[in-house]
Amino acid sequence: MTKTALITGATSGIGKATAEVFAENGIDLIICGRRNDRLQQLSENLGKKVKVHSCVFDVRDKKAVKAAIGNLPDAFRQIDILVNNAGNAHGLAPIDQGSEDDWDAMIDINVKGLLYVSKAVIPSMVDRKAGHIINIGSVAGKEVYPNGNVYCASKYAVDAINQGMRIDLNEHGIKVGAINPGLVETEFSMVRFKGDEERSAKVYEGMDALTGRDVAETILFMVTRPPHVNIADLLIFPTAQASSTKVKRD
Ligand code: NDP
Ligand code: 8X3
């Protein structure tokens, strides 16, 4: 039977690549993000392969999240796969120099936004005793690196929420797992450095970073395992990266 996946942050990077890879593999899509023009473009492209519905909301806005997911068209009401991907780093500064606005953004989007979306989706999975939740964590949720402080905290929170969800939803037969990437070349660094192209390019200089598609193909593997297999937690690096702070560059 055809499955339906809801992907947050589908306008760019890992989320967009996941939507593309899912569509190539016959999974219907609910694609979400704030940039409607990008969602429309993606709907048009992927709509040639699968059914696509787009939802425009900011994951920080819990009323908007609830309304969008609560009012899905009938054909999209059964969400089999939730990919909690929307998120970003905002800033990279020592803790005494960080911006409160950046801290708010990271906690509100990466942590609270993920919870609001999950809260809107999980009850119907519980009713059906089925479903699969993929949380996009990060190596930043496994090891803290200099100046990563609050972004790392937000991803450690994702790690804890991933574990908590898996424990609490175990009795309902719902699969929960996280994928934790290292360096992936997306719009991530442009957001982190507020559009500073030079600083952003340096992050990936002299090495082959992962692509959104590398991560997306791994997510596809996670969601296509047999019913008795749940990949609970996965760390994925580019070959050139060994940890948050050890990266081999040419
Ligand atoms: P991108 O910046 O390319 O994509 C981020 C996505 O999140 C966009 O689609 C954006 O959509 C969405 N998003 C951001 N803020 C909000 C918001 N307030 N409400 C709704 N959607 C939002 O980055 P990545 O693809 O790299 O990041 C995706 C996830 O992967 C994040 O959780 C990130 O932390 C994680 N990650 C990234 C790594 C990397 O090196 N790139 C490594 C490890 C983890 P829009 O702006 O249209 O709302
Ligand atoms: C993104 C990877 O190393 O920039 O989560 O934090 S890193």
Side-chain angles (χ1 to χ4, degrees), residues 9-15 32-35 57-60 85-89 109-110 136-139 151 155 180-188 191 204:
T11 57
S12 167
I14 295 169
C32 311
R34 291 167 300 178
R35 288 170 287 182
F57 56 77
D58 186 321
V59 294
R60 286 173 286 198
N85 164 75
N88 278 114
I109 298 167
N110 303 356
I136 312 298
S138 170
V139 61
Y151 177 64
K155 289 298 181 180
N180 301 283
L183 292 164
V184 191
E185 192 159 1
T186 61
E187 294 176 13
F188 178 86
V191 174
Y204 314 106

Side-chain angles (χ1 to χ4, degrees), residues 39 42 56 63 73 82 94 108 155 157 161 174 189 205 241:
L39 290 176
L42 196 60
V56 184
K63 278 194 189 139
L82 165 63
D108 290 349
K155 289 298 181 180
I161 292 165
I174 297 169
S189 292
E205 211 168 66
Q241 182 173 19

Side-chain angles (χ1 to χ4, degrees), residues 82-130:
L82 165 63
V83 182
N84 274 321
N85 164 75
N88 278 114
H90 294 265
L92 180 72
I95 196 74
D96 54 309
Q97 291 165 39
S99 134
E100 291 97 326
D101 289 343
D102 284 346
W103 295 347
D104 284 346
M106 291 185 282
I107 301 294
D108 290 349
I109 298 167
N110 303 356
V111 184
K112 290 164 70 183
L114 180 150
L115 288 170
Y116 297 155
V117 172
S118 302
K119 170 87 178 163
V121 172
I122 289 172
S124 70
M125 290 184 169
V126 167
D127 286 347
R128 294 196 321 277
K129 302 277 180 213

Side-chain angles (χ1 to χ4, degrees), residues 55-72:
C55 289
V56 184
F57 56 77
D58 186 321
V59 294
R60 286 173 286 198
D61 183 344
K62 63 179 150 208
K63 278 194 189 139
V65 169
K66 214 171 169 177
I69 296 173
N71 292 306
L72 287 168

